[in-house]
Amino acid sequence: MLLAGRIDIIVGDRVQLQYFVHEQRAQDQVRILPRPLIQMPRFVAFAKGDIERARQFSEALVRLRNAGKLDEIQQRWAP
């Protein structure tokens, strides 16, 4: 709706919005403000009682963060 001119502003996740704008080849039509309104933590949900999968995910996330790969992934998806 933003690209069609039906709305003037979208509030959302910066990386997701940048990715969408990039995919739509609309960089010349959209301006993303340089300063975020708010920074919020991210959460991942698992089925109740799925402790093993949550543990595996948590351990993998720690490994990625410690290896510097998390920042690398974020940079790759932020055009």
Side-chain angles (χ1 to χ4, degrees):
M1 287 197 294
L2 180 71
L3 295 177
R6 295 177 61 196
I7 59 173
D8 295 322
I9 188 171
I10 292 177
V11 176
D13 178 78
R14 180 182 197 88
V15 174
Q16 288 177 333
L17 291 173
Q18 285 176 317
Y19 180 76
F20 178 76
V21 168
H22 177 74
E23 284 293 300
Q24 298 299 311
R25 294 181 170 86
Q27 292 91 333
D28 59 334
Q29 296 173 270
V30 176
R31 181 172 57 112
I32 296 177
L33 299 179
R35 198 175 85 199
L37 296 174
I38 189 170
Q39 290 185 318
M40 298 176 56
R42 303 292 179 136
F43 298 94
V44 177
F46 295 93
K48 197 173 193 175
D50 194 354
I51 295 167
E52 180 60 20
R53 194 173 312 210
R55 182 191 63 75
Q56 289 174 345
F57 182 86
S58 180
E59 289 175 0
L61 192 58
V62 167
R63 284 193 306 272
L64 286 170
R65 185 177 290 124
N66 290 342
K69 293 291 185 182
L70 221 46
D71 289 332
E72 188 179 308
I73 292 168
Q74 282 184 309
Q75 290 303 314
R76 185 176 67 207
W77 289 102

